[in-house]
Amino acid sequence: MTRAADTLTAARPVDGAARPDTRAACPDTRAAARAEAPELATRAEDPELAVRAAELVRDAVLGDLARRVVAECGADVGLVGVPEPLPGGAARGRNDGGMVLRHWAGTRADLLHDVAVPSGLGLGGRALAERAPTWVSDYRAATTISHHYDDAVTAEDLYAMLTVPLLHGGTVHGVVYASLRTVVPFGDVRISAVGKLAAAATRALAGAAAWSGEEPRPVVPDRPLTPREHEVLRWAATGRTNPEIAAHLGLTCNTVTGYLKSAMHKLGVRNRTELAIAARESGLLEPASRPPGQVRTR
């Protein structure tokens, strides 16, 4: 069902979710990586082979993640979206910030296989844009998300859904979905269990990217920053405080705060540190464009 080799292990339900006495595919990620990746020494000898090996490791890790969400977290369906440039993005006036559902477990049909999900659309696109876990107890009745994928979700008879971004160093390496075929609120135990699997997978993905020497693909905002937002962001990235920025640009502190909040929302981050990291990785902070000199203070 996914692209990594299967190994059988017993499923462990979480939060009291009733599950049939079946077994799900849950290979050990490290074993899968060792089986599919060449020796580390090949990196120095053949960079192209190292990149291919890293791709195999990522496929093994993400396929394993989809299966373990089903086997260990009481989900009926596990999905993993991988950040990729989406076809036709430029024609629709969007950038390439999005993902494709490349790994799955527990699906009955194929309508959710290889589905393109632009940043911000659906529950997974929202997690991708906001870089934070999000969930609904009834996907089809939810009013906080778009409903572009209702037909596919209905075909799978899915209701409750949790999505968790695979976030490392300000870069989203993917989004994992845990879905159930019943209306039920997500408890802390299940959310924590999926989060721990996502964190372990993210560490492995970051290691594979570092090993191959690849630069992670940043998730850039769907809406571009305004010139003033960009200007305030550049000053904030140098460590200046809001009053210092306000004094230099001739703005009020509240106005500076508003620009920063807007930039955070567009970049899907929650604080100034994440904002600076995301801005650099998205190419918004070129060295030559950083504000020079000292800020004037009153």
Side-chain angles (χ1 to χ4, degrees), residues 4-286:
D6 291 343
T7 300
L8 297 181
T9 187
R12 298 199 299 273
V14 180
D15 280 3
R19 298 194 49 75
D21 184 17
T22 60
R23 290 180 177 269
C26 280
D28 180 271
T29 301
R30 290 171 297 181
R34 287 194 299 268
E36 297 197 38
E39 295 291 336
L40 288 174
T42 60
R43 177 180 177 185
E45 299 170 2
D46 190 338
E48 291 185 4
L49 186 58
V51 170
R52 177 55 183 156
E55 292 175 353
L56 292 173
V57 170
R58 283 194 292 269
D59 279 348
V61 169
L62 295 176
D64 180 46
L65 177 60
R67 289 186 291 266
R68 295 186 70 177
V69 163
V70 173
E72 300 179 17
C73 301
D76 293 307
V77 170
L79 298 162
V80 179
V82 180
E84 296 181 14
L86 302 185
R92 295 194 303 269
R94 302 175 64 93
N95 57 43
D96 62 357
M99 62 183 176
V100 179
L101 303 183
R102 295 299 191 193
H103 303 272
W104 47 83
T107 55
R108 295 172 178 171
D110 62 0
L111 292 182
L112 288 172
H113 298 180
D114 299 316
V115 171
V117 181
S119 178
L121 295 189
L123 195 68
R126 178 179 163 189
L128 184 66
E130 297 181 0
R131 303 186 181 199
T134 184
W135 58 89
V136 293
S137 59
D138 185 349
Y139 185 98
R140 287 175 256 180
T143 59
T144 57
I145 59 174
S146 71
H147 286 272
H148 293 72
Y149 309 101
D150 281 6
D151 289 344
V153 171
T154 300
E156 283 292 342
D157 196 28
L158 299 176
Y159 290 91
M161 188 176 296
L162 162 69
T163 55
V164 179
L166 310 181
L167 183 64
H168 182 270
T171 296
V172 178
H173 291 268
V175 174
V176 59
Y177 296 63
S179 304
L180 290 88
R181 294 188 172 99
T182 184
V183 176
V184 60
F186 278 96
D188 292 341
V189 174
R190 196 192 307 273
I191 294 171
S192 176
V194 176
K196 287 178 180 178
L197 287 180
T202 302
R203 288 193 294 271
L205 294 172
W211 169 36
S212 67
E214 289 184 314
E215 291 293 331
R217 181 183 296 115
V219 177
V220 293
D222 285 329
R223 291 180 294 158
L225 301 184
T226 66
R228 185 62 95 176
E229 289 169 351
H230 199 175
E231 185 177 25
V232 170
L233 170 59
R234 291 201 305 269
W235 280 106
T238 65
R240 270 62 170 188
T241 65
N242 286 11
E244 289 175 330
I245 299 171
H248 178 80
L249 299 179
L251 303 171
T252 67
C253 285
N254 286 340
T255 300
V256 170
T257 299
Y259 284 133
L260 287 176
K261 285 184 177 180
S262 178
M264 288 180 190
H265 178 72
K266 290 179 178 180
L267 285 164
V269 298
R270 293 166 290 184
N271 54 54
R272 291 170 74 105
T273 300
E274 291 183 0
L275 179 63
I277 293 172
R280 287 190 177 92
E281 293 182 346
S282 300
L284 296 174
L285 297 179
E286 296 298 332

